[in-house]
Amino acid sequence: MNVFLDQVREYEFPAFKKKLQEAFTTAAKRQLPGISDELIPSDQDIEESFYSPKAETYYIMYQGKKVGGVVVSIDKETHHNSLDLFFISTEHHNSGLGYAAWNAIEARYPETEVWETVTPYFEKRNIHFYVNKCGFHIVEFYNEQNPDPYCDNGHVNEMPESLEDGMFRFEKVMGK
C-alpha cells in the first residue's frame, strides 16, 4: 500500500481535529454504548498536542485522499518518541491502512530507539493493533491505583469521566 504522511499546516488544524474527534468518538460509542455525546478527545487535549514543542502533525494519505492522521512527539536528543494521536477515518477501517500508516511513521523516523503510546483499556481493537500488528508491548496500566504521572488534573487520564477506568501504556523498542 502506498501510504504517505503529509504535514498538516496550522490553518488545517480545525478540520484535522474534527476528523480525529469523529474517529475517536465513534470508536468509544461502539465500545461503550450510552456514553455522553462529549467529543473525544477534548478540544483542549488535541490543541495541547498540536502545539507541544516536539509535536509533528500529519495527514495519512492514500490514493490522493486524507484517510487519517497522526500527531507524534519527536525527541531528537533521546530518540524516545511518542505516538500521541493516531486515527484512521472510520470508513477506512479494516483495510490495512493503519498498519501501512504505522510503517510510514517508522520509516519517517528511523533514528527512533523507543516508541511509546497509550490507549484506553476498553479499546480491544487498538490493543490488538499495537501488540499483534505493530510489535508494541504493554508496559503499564494507568488506573485509580496507578495514575498517569503526566496527567496534572488528578484524573487517571484525559478521557471523559465515563471512560476513566484505565489506560494501557505501550512501548516498542526498535531493532527488536
Side-chain angles (χ1 to χ4, degrees), residues 150-164:
Y150 300 105
C151 180
D152 60 4
N153 66 2
H155 294 281
V156 173
N157 53 57
E158 297 296 328
M159 301 295 275
E161 191 172 329
S162 61
L163 303 180
E164 282 192 353

Side-chain angles (χ1 to χ4, degrees), residues 2-176:
N2 189 15
V3 169
F4 68 95
L5 305 176
D6 185 28
Q7 190 159 26
V8 177
R9 287 106 191 121
E10 191 169 345
Y11 73 86
E12 297 173 299
F13 283 175
F16 182 96
K17 179 172 55 173
K18 181 179 179 188
K19 292 300 267 181
L20 183 146
Q21 287 175 321
E22 285 173 5
F24 275 53
T25 302
T26 299
K29 286 183 176 194
R30 188 179 310 123
Q31 294 295 318
L32 301 170
I35 66 169
S36 75
D37 287 333
E38 185 176 349
L39 292 175
I40 303 167
S42 71
D43 289 344
Q44 179 182 343
D45 290 345
I46 295 170
E47 288 166 14
E48 285 175 9
S49 290
F50 286 161
Y51 296 107
S52 167
K54 297 176 184 176
E56 298 185 18
T57 304
Y58 300 96
Y59 285 116
I60 297 165
M61 304 294 296
Y62 178 65
Q63 296 182 336
K65 296 178 183 169
K66 297 170 184 168
V67 297
V70 63
V71 179
V72 293
S73 291
I74 305 301
D75 190 318
K76 294 179 181 179
E77 292 178 22
T78 67
H79 303 290
H80 286 228
N81 299 329
S82 175
L83 177 65
D84 296 338
L85 298 167
F86 181 48
F87 74 98
I88 298 296
S89 297
T90 55
E91 65 269 20
H92 297 288
H93 282 183
N94 299 316
S95 63
L97 289 171
Y99 183 65
W102 176 249
N103 287 328
I105 294 164
E106 284 188 358
R108 182 151 189 115
Y109 300 101
E111 70 286 353
T112 300
E113 294 176 15
V114 177
W115 281 103
E116 180 177 303
T117 195
V118 296
T119 202
Y121 83 97
F122 66 84
E123 272 292 358
K124 293 176 188 165
R125 180 183 168 82
N126 290 0
I127 296 164
H128 163 74
F129 175 74
Y130 291 126
V131 173
N132 298 323
K133 296 284 186 182
C134 299
F136 281 80
H137 296 276
I138 297 171
V139 295
E140 194 162 14
F141 179 56
Y142 297 132
N143 58 62
E144 197 172 285
Q145 288 77 36
N146 183 41
D148 182 343
Y150 300 105
C151 180
D152 60 4
N153 66 2
H155 294 281
V156 173
N157 53 57
E158 297 296 328
M159 301 295 275
E161 191 172 329
S162 61
L163 303 180
E164 282 192 353
D165 289 336
M167 299 277 278
F168 286 109
R169 183 173 69 87
F170 301 84
E171 283 186 356
K172 181 176 183 179
V173 178
M174 301 305 290
K176 287 192 172 185

